[in-house]
Amino acid sequence: RFLLLAGILMVLLPFGCPFYRIFGIRCPGCGLTRAWIYLLNGEWSRAFQEHLLFLFAPVFLVLFVWKDDPTLKKYCNADVLLGFLGFLMFVYHIFRS
């Protein structure tokens, strides 16, 4: 399922954010890619200006992909963490809009 989602995104990304194209509003993840590009270029302040929660994106992806892994289940409740990170993104999105 992850590969299918990645494939769909690869096809749609050249056209811009699919969420923005469909609904005309910024999605909670808008700015994450630009923030990582700024970070990798050493522009920390611009990265945090673009999206305050961009550092949590890899954690969210890892938890989403491996949430059913038995080893991960021993150490944390991935569903609770995913819900919490999703809630943070939603609240941040509401306040920055």
Side-chain angles (χ1 to χ4, degrees):
R1 79 180 160 190
F2 176 71
L3 291 176
L4 177 64
L5 178 62
I8 291 170
L9 286 176
M10 288 297 202
V11 170
L12 293 176
L13 281 179
F15 302 106
C17 176
F19 191 87
Y20 184 77
R21 294 275 184 206
I22 294 170
F23 300 110
I25 56 174
R26 293 176 65 176
C27 72
C30 278
L32 287 173
T33 302
R34 289 184 299 270
W36 276 99
I37 290 170
Y38 288 137
L39 176 76
L40 294 173
N41 286 319
E43 301 178 53
W44 284 77
S45 63
R46 286 189 74 183
F48 282 105
Q49 288 172 357
E50 199 62 49
H51 200 292
L52 188 62
L53 302 175
F54 76 98
L55 292 174
F56 292 112
V59 175
F60 186 87
L61 287 174
V62 167
L63 287 174
F64 182 76
V65 171
W66 286 296
K67 69 180 179 178
D68 296 326
D69 182 59
T71 307
L72 182 64
K73 284 185 177 185
K74 276 198 277 187
Y75 296 106
C76 69
N77 187 340
D79 290 328
V80 171
L81 287 174
L82 282 168
F84 178 70
L85 290 173
F87 176 74
L88 277 179
M89 291 288 274
F90 176 74
V91 169
Y92 175 68
H93 177 66
I94 296 298
F95 285 108
R96 80 174 178 163
S97 296

